[in-house]
Amino acid sequence: METAAQLQGMRIRYDEGQLVVPDVPIIPFIEGDGIGPDIWRATQRMVDGAVEKTYGGQRRIQWLPLLAGERAHEETGEWLPKATLEEIRSHRVAIKGPLTTPVGGGIRSLNVTLRQELDLYACVRPIRYIAGVPSPMRAPEQVDMVIFRENTEDVYTGIEWPAGSEAARRLAAFVTDELGQPVSPEAGIGVKPMTRAGSERIIRAAIDYALAHGRRSVTMMHKGNIMKYTEGAFREWGYALAERDYSGRVITEQALWDEFGGEVPAGKVLLKDRIADIMFQQVILRPAEYDVIACPNLNGDYLSDALAAQVGGVGMAPGANMSDGLAVFEATHGTAPKYANQDKVNPGSLVLSAIMMLEYIGWGEAGRALDAALSATIAEGVVTYDLARQRADAREVKTSEFATAVVAHLGGH
Ligand code: NAP
């Protein structure tokens, strides 16, 4: 039998709603700008080590470098080359470091563009505490949530006009004169479109994840008391979806108390909703009550970074942008240019994203091995500067040294 080292890499396919992953999948990566190359190098070593250790040479990843960001702009004149988008689309699973957002010019943000071009409608952010990571929480071990943030609608569509522009004035006049809602002709105006289809698919993704992973609840976070026909509708559409498509598997809070005595029965998921402002308080005071969270785009943006702070900050927060059968895993922080090429920063966000990726392609054993090695390294106080400055007992190491320590914990490398 040939070993993975002798086999040619092949594309991951998506057949009848299932990923089909060969023993040597080709996975594209974008190393990213600023600190990207430092954290990518470290991550690649840790992932390759975990795969080799777990599958004993029967599986490996064939990495395919893709251009985006500053290097792409220098070499091709484009920030996000069409070829890069095509390669991601055709390989189905990719991973990326942070990208500089070009100031001025046509592109608002490469990340937003990537999500929109590939219709990656779900931004998935697990928030889980790793022992030894400094946390402002009294009981950080209770923090274990997964955010499903809608990625393609809401104010993030960027449909807006500056105050005083012809378009803003015309729109203000239309809303005032035709619709009877007075809007100042001096106002800047933004539009917040949210559809039933867009809301349903993110809530469905959250419910499916909760059911598949034995999670207790899905909370729809919204500001529907004020924005009734967008965020309020998000909530209504979510409950209607659950009733229509998840009967018997998803229960409401009403049923929880009326029929089940306050205990979620095994195999079922509780669907509840909370208004965004109180939710920010409760995830701090009572984190154990929150599990999977489904939210519209802007709420999800705020909540993702707020929750990341509970478990070590953006340097430790993983993420993925997904649609059905297509996923881009990514570091959730930016390019931190002042630390570029210093071999200094924490690769945690990118390597935890890679662990999500291993699980996504069905290589969960390798993901768990890497997670255990990462946790063991942090637990013994071997950490990068960001965590070291918050821990008296820490031994501060460089990015590459951290990777070496994790690989050593995998055993035999
Ligand atoms: P940033 O790059 O995330 O850096 C902000 C601060 O976060 C850093 O100065 C550092 O804090 C900390 N940090 C970030 N990554 C870290 C890591 N791996 N390990 C330890 N600490 C880390 O945010 P920014 O300065 O606002 O943005 C810089 C550029 O990145 C901009 O061009 C922005 O558009 C872009 N950006 C890209 C993405 C993305 O690609 N997903 C996301 C956000 C921003 P200390 O200074 O306290 O050490």
Side-chain angles (χ1 to χ4, degrees), residues 98-101 111 333-336 338-339 345-346 385-386 389:
L99 295 172
T100 303
T101 298
N111 295 300
H333 52 72
T335 58
K338 66 182 175 186
Y339 296 126
V345 297
N346 191 344
Y385 84 98
D386 52 319
R389 68 187 167 190

Side-chain angles (χ1 to χ4, degrees), residues 129-168:
Y129 179 66
I130 295 177
V133 173
S135 166
M137 301 291 284
R138 267 182 307 187
E141 64 287 349
Q142 292 180 0
V143 178
D144 185 6
M145 302 177 230
V146 186
I147 299 175
F148 280 74
R149 165 189 171 198
E150 205 289 322
N151 246 348
T152 63
E153 302 197 322
D154 197 352
V155 287
Y156 259 70
T157 45
I159 307 171
E160 56 177 9
W161 297 275
S165 64
E166 158 80 7

